[in-house]
Amino acid sequence: MFPQLPIRLALLALISLPLTACDTQTMTDLRRNIGLDQPEPEPEEPAKPRAPAVSPLVQPIETGAPGKPIPTAEPLTYRATSFVARGNEPFWNVEIAGNTATYRTPENQSGRKISVNRLVFDRGVEYVGVLNDRPFVVNMTATECQDTMADQKYPLTARLTVSGKTQQGCASVGQPAEAAAETTTDAPAAAG
């Protein structure tokens, strides 16, 4: 009688195993149907930064939700390539055309030309160069500026950093060199 006992136990175990599997599947289905056992959502991969399709100098980089892009470049300064920035107490003036800035002070009214690089950012534009082995930076933001000495408003607020000192001022989009040349050429013809 003892030799048959292990065989009976093995058969009993084999018969109950499929029933247990069916019971587990039935309970899982029942739980899902009443909302107790929801499958866990797949973890989403965080969005990886990707390079822009075009240069930010050609088209402003946009952020935001799909369908609601937010341009990161300020429209007033984005397409302009020439600016005039000025400050008083102490007086300074910087005219920027392309990649050249002309820096003027009362001591040097003819000005000094400085090669600069343009950086566009979300609220304006910045030009960076080197003067006397130190950073030369003209930063312009699209915030209205009031010149108290001239009692005039300008569309841009300027900040000039030269020789380690920062000075505040106002700025505006400049007239392109070609348009300025045409204006001076046309003026005598109109007078005559």
Side-chain angles (χ1 to χ4, degrees):
M1 198 161 110
F2 290 114
Q4 291 181 354
L5 186 60
I7 294 174
R8 285 185 182 172
L9 288 177
L11 284 175
L12 186 59
L14 287 174
I15 291 172
S16 62
L17 190 60
L19 292 176
T20 307
C22 286
D23 188 39
T24 304
Q25 183 61 42
T26 304
M27 290 304 291
T28 302
D29 290 343
L30 179 63
R31 285 185 175 158
R32 281 191 187 142
N33 287 338
I34 61 173
L36 292 177
D37 190 26
Q38 296 295 327
E40 289 189 31
E42 298 275 330
E44 292 182 23
E45 284 188 35
K48 294 179 182 175
R50 59 181 176 85
V54 296
S55 166
L57 298 176
V58 174
Q59 179 180 349
I61 297 173
E62 295 178 346
T63 61
K68 288 193 157 198
I70 302 166
T72 58
E74 201 289 313
L76 179 64
T77 59
Y78 175 67
R79 297 212 187 276
T81 58
S82 62
F83 297 90
V84 177
R86 62 195 58 79
N88 46 45
E89 298 179 26
F91 170 79
W92 57 270
N93 175 290
V94 178
E95 289 182 27
I96 299 169
N99 288 338
T100 303
T102 305
Y103 172 54
R104 293 182 179 88
T105 62
E107 297 81 28
N108 184 2
Q109 292 188 14
S110 60
R112 182 158 179 196
K113 294 196 182 294
I114 302 158
S115 179
V116 290
N117 291 315
R118 174 186 169 101
L119 302 168
V120 176
F121 61 99
D122 65 341
R123 292 184 47 225
V125 65
E126 185 169 79
Y127 287 87
V128 180
V130 176
L131 177 66
N132 298 329
D133 296 326
R134 305 231 16 219
F136 175 87
V137 181
V138 182
N139 178 293
M140 292 166 279
T141 57
T143 305
E144 190 175 85
C145 180
Q146 175 75 39
D147 185 342
T148 53
M149 298 215 35
D151 195 30
Q152 187 174 356
K153 288 186 180 181
Y154 294 92
L156 303 169
T157 298
R159 187 178 67 234
L160 170 69
T161 304
V162 63
S163 299
K165 296 178 184 171
T166 301
Q167 301 166 358
Q168 301 297 322
C170 299
S172 60
V173 174
Q175 195 174 27
E178 302 84 37
E182 289 174 14
T183 305
T184 22
T185 309
D186 292 345

